[in-house]
Short mmCIF file of all heavy atoms in Angstrom, two decimals:
data_model
loop_
_atom_site.label_atom_id
_atom_site.label_comp_id
_atom_site.label_asym_id
_atom_site.label_seq_id
_atom_site.Cartn_x
_atom_site.Cartn_y
_atom_site.Cartn_z
N MET A 1 -174.24 66.97 -60.58
CA MET A 1 -174.12 66.96 -59.14
C MET A 1 -172.65 66.66 -58.73
O MET A 1 -172.23 67.15 -57.66
CB MET A 1 -175.06 65.94 -58.52
CG MET A 1 -176.49 66.43 -58.59
SD MET A 1 -177.74 65.48 -57.71
CE MET A 1 -177.52 63.75 -58.34
N ASN A 2 -171.92 65.94 -59.50
CA ASN A 2 -170.56 65.68 -59.18
C ASN A 2 -169.66 66.90 -59.22
O ASN A 2 -168.65 67.00 -58.57
CB ASN A 2 -169.93 64.67 -60.22
CG ASN A 2 -170.30 63.25 -59.91
OD1 ASN A 2 -170.62 62.87 -58.78
ND2 ASN A 2 -170.29 62.49 -60.95
N LEU A 3 -170.13 67.91 -59.90
CA LEU A 3 -169.45 69.20 -60.02
C LEU A 3 -169.88 70.18 -58.91
O LEU A 3 -169.41 71.33 -58.89
CB LEU A 3 -169.61 69.82 -61.36
CG LEU A 3 -169.04 68.95 -62.52
CD1 LEU A 3 -169.47 69.65 -63.86
CD2 LEU A 3 -167.56 68.78 -62.43
N GLY A 4 -170.80 69.79 -58.07
CA GLY A 4 -171.24 70.61 -56.98
C GLY A 4 -172.38 71.54 -57.41
O GLY A 4 -172.66 72.51 -56.67
N LEU A 5 -173.02 71.22 -58.48
CA LEU A 5 -174.20 72.07 -58.85
C LEU A 5 -175.32 71.92 -57.94
O LEU A 5 -175.62 70.79 -57.38
CB LEU A 5 -174.68 71.71 -60.27
CG LEU A 5 -173.70 71.98 -61.44
CD1 LEU A 5 -174.21 71.41 -62.72
CD2 LEU A 5 -173.52 73.52 -61.57
N ASN A 6 -176.06 72.96 -57.72
CA ASN A 6 -177.28 72.97 -56.83
C ASN A 6 -178.32 72.08 -57.44
O ASN A 6 -178.61 72.27 -58.59
CB ASN A 6 -177.71 74.36 -56.56
CG ASN A 6 -178.83 74.42 -55.64
OD1 ASN A 6 -179.99 74.01 -55.92
ND2 ASN A 6 -178.58 75.01 -54.49
N VAL A 7 -178.96 71.20 -56.65
CA VAL A 7 -179.92 70.24 -57.16
C VAL A 7 -181.16 71.04 -57.73
O VAL A 7 -181.72 70.66 -58.76
CB VAL A 7 -180.36 69.28 -56.06
CG1 VAL A 7 -181.52 68.41 -56.53
CG2 VAL A 7 -179.18 68.36 -55.67
N LYS A 8 -181.50 72.15 -57.08
CA LYS A 8 -182.62 72.94 -57.57
C LYS A 8 -182.34 73.48 -58.98
O LYS A 8 -183.23 73.49 -59.85
CB LYS A 8 -182.91 74.06 -56.60
CG LYS A 8 -184.16 74.82 -57.01
CD LYS A 8 -184.56 75.86 -55.96
CE LYS A 8 -185.82 76.53 -56.40
NZ LYS A 8 -185.96 77.88 -56.01
N VAL A 9 -181.11 73.95 -59.21
CA VAL A 9 -180.73 74.44 -60.50
C VAL A 9 -180.83 73.32 -61.58
O VAL A 9 -181.31 73.55 -62.70
CB VAL A 9 -179.37 75.06 -60.41
CG1 VAL A 9 -178.88 75.46 -61.83
CG2 VAL A 9 -179.32 76.27 -59.55
N ILE A 10 -180.32 72.13 -61.18
CA ILE A 10 -180.37 71.03 -62.07
C ILE A 10 -181.80 70.71 -62.45
O ILE A 10 -182.12 70.46 -63.64
CB ILE A 10 -179.69 69.74 -61.45
CG1 ILE A 10 -178.14 69.99 -61.31
CG2 ILE A 10 -179.91 68.53 -62.32
CD1 ILE A 10 -177.49 68.99 -60.49
N ALA A 11 -182.67 70.69 -61.46
CA ALA A 11 -184.08 70.38 -61.70
C ALA A 11 -184.71 71.46 -62.65
O ALA A 11 -185.41 71.06 -63.57
CB ALA A 11 -184.82 70.37 -60.38
N GLU A 12 -184.42 72.70 -62.39
CA GLU A 12 -185.05 73.75 -63.21
C GLU A 12 -184.52 73.68 -64.67
O GLU A 12 -185.27 73.80 -65.58
CB GLU A 12 -184.69 75.15 -62.62
CG GLU A 12 -185.40 75.37 -61.38
CD GLU A 12 -184.98 76.68 -60.67
OE1 GLU A 12 -184.03 77.36 -61.16
OE2 GLU A 12 -185.52 77.04 -59.64
N ARG A 13 -183.26 73.40 -64.82
CA ARG A 13 -182.65 73.30 -66.14
C ARG A 13 -183.14 72.09 -66.92
O ARG A 13 -183.22 72.08 -68.14
CB ARG A 13 -181.14 73.26 -66.12
CG ARG A 13 -180.48 74.51 -65.62
CD ARG A 13 -180.50 75.57 -66.71
NE ARG A 13 -179.86 76.73 -66.22
CZ ARG A 13 -179.43 77.65 -67.01
NH1 ARG A 13 -179.57 77.53 -68.31
NH2 ARG A 13 -178.96 78.77 -66.55
N SER A 14 -183.47 71.02 -66.16
CA SER A 14 -183.90 69.75 -66.72
C SER A 14 -185.42 69.67 -66.86
O SER A 14 -186.00 68.71 -67.42
CB SER A 14 -183.42 68.57 -65.88
OG SER A 14 -182.02 68.59 -65.75
N ALA A 15 -186.08 70.68 -66.38
CA ALA A 15 -187.59 70.73 -66.38
C ALA A 15 -188.22 69.59 -65.65
O ALA A 15 -189.21 69.01 -66.08
CB ALA A 15 -188.08 70.85 -67.84
N ILE A 16 -187.57 69.24 -64.54
CA ILE A 16 -188.12 68.16 -63.62
C ILE A 16 -188.13 68.69 -62.24
O ILE A 16 -187.55 69.77 -61.92
CB ILE A 16 -187.37 66.83 -63.73
CG1 ILE A 16 -185.89 66.97 -63.37
CG2 ILE A 16 -187.52 66.28 -65.18
CD1 ILE A 16 -185.07 65.69 -63.36
N THR A 17 -188.69 67.96 -61.30
CA THR A 17 -188.75 68.42 -59.91
C THR A 17 -187.45 68.00 -59.15
O THR A 17 -186.71 67.05 -59.65
CB THR A 17 -189.95 67.77 -59.13
OG1 THR A 17 -189.77 66.36 -59.07
CG2 THR A 17 -191.26 68.12 -59.87
N VAL A 18 -187.18 68.64 -58.07
CA VAL A 18 -186.05 68.27 -57.24
C VAL A 18 -186.17 66.83 -56.80
O VAL A 18 -185.22 66.07 -56.81
CB VAL A 18 -185.90 69.24 -56.03
CG1 VAL A 18 -184.93 68.70 -55.06
CG2 VAL A 18 -185.61 70.62 -56.42
N GLU A 19 -187.34 66.41 -56.50
CA GLU A 19 -187.61 64.99 -56.06
C GLU A 19 -187.22 64.02 -57.16
O GLU A 19 -186.66 62.95 -56.84
CB GLU A 19 -189.06 64.83 -55.63
CG GLU A 19 -189.51 65.56 -54.36
CD GLU A 19 -189.76 67.04 -54.60
OE1 GLU A 19 -189.89 67.52 -55.76
OE2 GLU A 19 -189.82 67.74 -53.59
N MET A 20 -187.54 64.40 -58.37
CA MET A 20 -187.23 63.52 -59.52
C MET A 20 -185.69 63.39 -59.67
O MET A 20 -185.16 62.38 -60.01
CB MET A 20 -187.85 64.01 -60.78
CG MET A 20 -189.35 63.76 -60.79
SD MET A 20 -190.16 64.42 -62.28
CE MET A 20 -189.59 63.31 -63.50
N VAL A 21 -184.97 64.57 -59.50
CA VAL A 21 -183.59 64.53 -59.56
C VAL A 21 -182.99 63.57 -58.55
O VAL A 21 -182.11 62.78 -58.90
CB VAL A 21 -182.94 66.00 -59.38
CG1 VAL A 21 -181.40 65.94 -59.24
CG2 VAL A 21 -183.36 66.90 -60.45
N TYR A 22 -183.43 63.65 -57.29
CA TYR A 22 -182.93 62.76 -56.28
C TYR A 22 -183.27 61.28 -56.62
O TYR A 22 -182.49 60.36 -56.36
CB TYR A 22 -183.52 63.09 -54.92
CG TYR A 22 -182.83 64.25 -54.31
CD1 TYR A 22 -183.55 65.45 -53.96
CD2 TYR A 22 -181.45 64.25 -54.05
CE1 TYR A 22 -182.91 66.50 -53.36
CE2 TYR A 22 -180.79 65.37 -53.46
CZ TYR A 22 -181.56 66.48 -53.16
OH TYR A 22 -180.88 67.52 -52.51
N LYS A 23 -184.46 61.07 -57.14
CA LYS A 23 -184.91 59.74 -57.48
C LYS A 23 -184.07 59.16 -58.59
O LYS A 23 -183.59 57.98 -58.56
CB LYS A 23 -186.36 59.63 -57.84
CG LYS A 23 -186.88 58.29 -58.12
CD LYS A 23 -188.33 58.26 -58.54
CE LYS A 23 -189.19 58.17 -57.28
NZ LYS A 23 -190.62 58.03 -57.56
N ILE A 24 -183.78 59.93 -59.61
CA ILE A 24 -183.03 59.45 -60.79
C ILE A 24 -181.55 59.36 -60.56
O ILE A 24 -180.89 58.48 -60.96
CB ILE A 24 -183.39 60.37 -62.00
CG1 ILE A 24 -184.80 60.31 -62.43
CG2 ILE A 24 -182.47 60.00 -63.17
CD1 ILE A 24 -185.28 61.34 -63.37
N TYR A 25 -181.01 60.44 -59.86
CA TYR A 25 -179.58 60.58 -59.73
C TYR A 25 -179.11 60.47 -58.26
O TYR A 25 -177.95 60.79 -57.95
CB TYR A 25 -179.11 61.90 -60.25
CG TYR A 25 -179.52 62.13 -61.70
CD1 TYR A 25 -180.50 63.01 -62.08
CD2 TYR A 25 -178.84 61.45 -62.71
CE1 TYR A 25 -180.88 63.18 -63.37
CE2 TYR A 25 -179.15 61.61 -64.00
CZ TYR A 25 -180.16 62.45 -64.36
OH TYR A 25 -180.52 62.60 -65.71
N GLY A 26 -179.95 59.98 -57.40
CA GLY A 26 -179.56 59.84 -55.95
C GLY A 26 -178.35 59.02 -55.72
O GLY A 26 -177.55 59.24 -54.78
N HIS A 27 -178.06 58.06 -56.61
CA HIS A 27 -176.88 57.16 -56.45
C HIS A 27 -175.61 58.00 -56.48
O HIS A 27 -174.65 57.67 -55.81
CB HIS A 27 -176.85 56.07 -57.45
CG HIS A 27 -176.70 56.59 -58.84
ND1 HIS A 27 -177.75 57.11 -59.59
CD2 HIS A 27 -175.60 56.66 -59.64
CE1 HIS A 27 -177.33 57.47 -60.75
NE2 HIS A 27 -176.00 57.19 -60.82
N VAL A 28 -175.63 59.07 -57.23
CA VAL A 28 -174.42 59.98 -57.36
C VAL A 28 -174.15 60.52 -56.00
O VAL A 28 -173.02 60.65 -55.50
CB VAL A 28 -174.72 61.10 -58.37
CG1 VAL A 28 -173.58 62.07 -58.38
CG2 VAL A 28 -174.86 60.46 -59.73
N LEU A 29 -175.24 60.99 -55.25
CA LEU A 29 -175.02 61.60 -53.94
C LEU A 29 -174.49 60.58 -52.95
O LEU A 29 -173.61 60.91 -52.14
CB LEU A 29 -176.33 62.18 -53.44
CG LEU A 29 -176.88 63.36 -54.19
CD1 LEU A 29 -178.26 63.69 -53.69
CD2 LEU A 29 -175.95 64.47 -54.24
N ALA A 30 -174.86 59.34 -53.00
CA ALA A 30 -174.35 58.30 -52.15
C ALA A 30 -172.89 58.06 -52.43
O ALA A 30 -172.05 57.91 -51.49
CB ALA A 30 -175.10 57.03 -52.34
N GLU A 31 -172.46 58.07 -53.71
CA GLU A 31 -171.05 57.88 -54.07
C GLU A 31 -170.24 59.12 -53.56
O GLU A 31 -169.10 58.95 -53.08
CB GLU A 31 -170.95 57.82 -55.60
CG GLU A 31 -171.50 56.52 -56.13
CD GLU A 31 -171.66 56.51 -57.67
OE1 GLU A 31 -171.13 57.46 -58.30
OE2 GLU A 31 -172.28 55.59 -58.20
N LEU A 32 -170.80 60.34 -53.65
CA LEU A 32 -170.09 61.49 -53.18
C LEU A 32 -169.91 61.42 -51.67
O LEU A 32 -168.91 61.83 -51.12
CB LEU A 32 -170.82 62.76 -53.61
CG LEU A 32 -170.81 63.11 -55.09
CD1 LEU A 32 -171.67 64.32 -55.31
CD2 LEU A 32 -169.39 63.41 -55.54
N GLU A 33 -170.90 60.88 -50.99
CA GLU A 33 -170.83 60.83 -49.47
C GLU A 33 -169.73 59.85 -49.07
O GLU A 33 -168.94 60.14 -48.17
CB GLU A 33 -172.18 60.34 -48.92
CG GLU A 33 -172.13 60.15 -47.43
CD GLU A 33 -172.00 61.41 -46.57
OE1 GLU A 33 -172.26 62.46 -47.19
OE2 GLU A 33 -171.63 61.30 -45.46
N VAL A 34 -169.64 58.71 -49.78
CA VAL A 34 -168.54 57.74 -49.44
C VAL A 34 -167.22 58.35 -49.69
O VAL A 34 -166.26 58.21 -48.90
CB VAL A 34 -168.78 56.44 -50.25
CG1 VAL A 34 -167.57 55.53 -50.15
CG2 VAL A 34 -170.00 55.71 -49.81
N GLU A 35 -167.10 59.06 -50.88
CA GLU A 35 -165.83 59.67 -51.16
C GLU A 35 -165.46 60.82 -50.21
O GLU A 35 -164.30 60.92 -49.74
CB GLU A 35 -165.92 60.27 -52.58
CG GLU A 35 -164.60 60.95 -53.06
CD GLU A 35 -164.68 61.49 -54.41
OE1 GLU A 35 -165.65 61.21 -55.15
OE2 GLU A 35 -163.80 62.31 -54.79
N SER A 36 -166.43 61.55 -49.78
CA SER A 36 -166.16 62.64 -48.83
C SER A 36 -165.76 62.11 -47.48
O SER A 36 -164.79 62.65 -46.81
CB SER A 36 -167.46 63.49 -48.56
OG SER A 36 -167.85 64.14 -49.80
N VAL A 37 -166.31 61.10 -47.00
CA VAL A 37 -166.03 60.41 -45.69
C VAL A 37 -164.60 59.94 -45.78
O VAL A 37 -163.77 60.11 -44.88
CB VAL A 37 -166.98 59.36 -45.25
CG1 VAL A 37 -166.46 58.57 -44.11
CG2 VAL A 37 -168.37 60.03 -44.93
N SER A 38 -164.23 59.24 -46.88
CA SER A 38 -162.95 58.74 -47.06
C SER A 38 -161.88 59.85 -47.07
O SER A 38 -160.84 59.73 -46.35
CB SER A 38 -162.81 57.95 -48.35
OG SER A 38 -161.54 57.47 -48.55
N LEU A 39 -162.10 60.90 -47.81
CA LEU A 39 -161.11 62.03 -47.88
C LEU A 39 -161.00 62.72 -46.51
O LEU A 39 -159.92 63.08 -46.09
CB LEU A 39 -161.53 63.00 -48.88
CG LEU A 39 -161.44 62.55 -50.36
CD1 LEU A 39 -162.09 63.55 -51.30
CD2 LEU A 39 -159.97 62.32 -50.75
N PHE A 40 -162.13 62.85 -45.78
CA PHE A 40 -162.08 63.49 -44.49
C PHE A 40 -161.28 62.65 -43.50
O PHE A 40 -160.45 63.16 -42.75
CB PHE A 40 -163.50 63.73 -43.96
CG PHE A 40 -163.56 64.43 -42.65
CD1 PHE A 40 -163.21 65.74 -42.51
CD2 PHE A 40 -164.02 63.75 -41.51
CE1 PHE A 40 -163.27 66.37 -41.34
CE2 PHE A 40 -164.10 64.34 -40.27
CZ PHE A 40 -163.71 65.70 -40.18
N SER A 41 -161.50 61.32 -43.55
CA SER A 41 -160.76 60.41 -42.63
C SER A 41 -159.26 60.46 -42.93
O SER A 41 -158.48 60.47 -42.04
CB SER A 41 -161.34 59.01 -42.76
OG SER A 41 -160.78 58.11 -41.87
N GLN A 42 -158.95 60.45 -44.22
CA GLN A 42 -157.56 60.54 -44.61
C GLN A 42 -156.91 61.83 -44.10
O GLN A 42 -155.73 61.84 -43.65
CB GLN A 42 -157.37 60.44 -46.14
CG GLN A 42 -157.67 59.08 -46.66
CD GLN A 42 -157.61 59.07 -48.20
OE1 GLN A 42 -157.12 59.98 -48.81
NE2 GLN A 42 -158.24 58.12 -48.82
N SER A 43 -157.63 62.88 -44.17
CA SER A 43 -157.16 64.22 -43.70
C SER A 43 -156.88 64.17 -42.17
O SER A 43 -155.88 64.66 -41.75
CB SER A 43 -158.16 65.25 -44.09
OG SER A 43 -157.78 66.50 -43.46
N LEU A 44 -157.84 63.56 -41.46
CA LEU A 44 -157.65 63.42 -40.02
C LEU A 44 -156.39 62.63 -39.66
O LEU A 44 -155.56 62.99 -38.82
CB LEU A 44 -158.85 62.81 -39.37
CG LEU A 44 -160.13 63.70 -39.31
CD1 LEU A 44 -161.29 62.93 -38.79
CD2 LEU A 44 -159.87 64.95 -38.45
N GLN A 45 -156.24 61.51 -40.39
CA GLN A 45 -155.06 60.61 -40.10
C GLN A 45 -153.77 61.36 -40.44
O GLN A 45 -152.77 61.17 -39.76
CB GLN A 45 -155.26 59.31 -40.91
CG GLN A 45 -156.34 58.44 -40.39
CD GLN A 45 -156.57 57.19 -41.28
OE1 GLN A 45 -155.96 57.12 -42.34
NE2 GLN A 45 -157.38 56.26 -40.85
N ALA A 46 -153.76 62.10 -41.55
CA ALA A 46 -152.61 62.77 -41.95
C ALA A 46 -152.15 63.85 -40.87
O ALA A 46 -150.98 64.18 -40.82
CB ALA A 46 -152.79 63.46 -43.33
N ASN A 47 -153.17 64.32 -40.13
CA ASN A 47 -152.90 65.36 -39.10
C ASN A 47 -152.76 64.68 -37.73
O ASN A 47 -152.73 65.42 -36.68
CB ASN A 47 -153.99 66.41 -39.11
CG ASN A 47 -153.86 67.29 -40.35
OD1 ASN A 47 -152.89 67.95 -40.52
ND2 ASN A 47 -154.86 67.16 -41.13
N GLY A 48 -152.59 63.33 -37.65
CA GLY A 48 -152.24 62.74 -36.39
C GLY A 48 -153.45 62.31 -35.60
O GLY A 48 -153.29 61.92 -34.42
N ALA A 49 -154.63 62.37 -36.07
CA ALA A 49 -155.86 61.98 -35.31
C ALA A 49 -155.79 60.46 -35.13
O ALA A 49 -155.40 59.69 -36.01
CB ALA A 49 -157.08 62.44 -36.02
N ASN A 50 -156.27 60.02 -33.94
CA ASN A 50 -156.39 58.59 -33.63
C ASN A 50 -157.73 58.00 -34.02
O ASN A 50 -158.04 56.86 -33.71
CB ASN A 50 -156.12 58.33 -32.21
CG ASN A 50 -154.70 58.66 -31.80
OD1 ASN A 50 -153.78 58.49 -32.59
ND2 ASN A 50 -154.50 59.18 -30.53
N PHE A 51 -158.56 58.78 -34.62
CA PHE A 51 -159.92 58.36 -35.04
C PHE A 51 -160.25 58.99 -36.34
O PHE A 51 -159.57 59.92 -36.76
CB PHE A 51 -160.95 58.72 -33.94
CG PHE A 51 -161.01 60.15 -33.65
CD1 PHE A 51 -161.83 61.03 -34.38
CD2 PHE A 51 -160.18 60.72 -32.65
CE1 PHE A 51 -161.81 62.41 -34.14
CE2 PHE A 51 -160.23 62.10 -32.41
CZ PHE A 51 -161.03 62.88 -33.13
N GLY A 52 -161.28 58.55 -37.04
CA GLY A 52 -161.66 59.17 -38.25
C GLY A 52 -163.10 59.09 -38.46
O GLY A 52 -163.92 58.60 -37.64
N ALA A 53 -163.56 59.59 -39.57
CA ALA A 53 -164.98 59.56 -39.90
C ALA A 53 -165.35 58.12 -40.43
O ALA A 53 -164.53 57.45 -40.97
CB ALA A 53 -165.26 60.60 -41.00
N SER A 54 -166.55 57.78 -40.22
CA SER A 54 -166.98 56.49 -40.77
C SER A 54 -168.33 56.63 -41.45
O SER A 54 -169.06 57.53 -41.13
CB SER A 54 -167.09 55.48 -39.65
OG SER A 54 -168.03 55.85 -38.72
N TYR A 55 -168.57 55.77 -42.39
CA TYR A 55 -169.76 55.84 -43.19
C TYR A 55 -170.80 54.86 -42.68
O TYR A 55 -170.49 53.81 -42.24
CB TYR A 55 -169.48 55.65 -44.65
CG TYR A 55 -170.67 55.72 -45.56
CD1 TYR A 55 -171.31 56.94 -45.70
CD2 TYR A 55 -171.17 54.70 -46.17
CE1 TYR A 55 -172.40 57.09 -46.53
CE2 TYR A 55 -172.27 54.72 -47.00
CZ TYR A 55 -172.87 55.95 -47.17
OH TYR A 55 -174.01 56.05 -48.00
#
């Protein structure tokens, strides 16, 4: 998931359900969300925005 693979593909390749992927690896998605918000906020600031994204 860190590489951007589709969760459905991961589930099919792992022979588990999409729900199980989220249950087992959901923490990865939370980490990616925090990182995405941080990068987006930095991008806004670099372009002169007076506000940014928040998590």
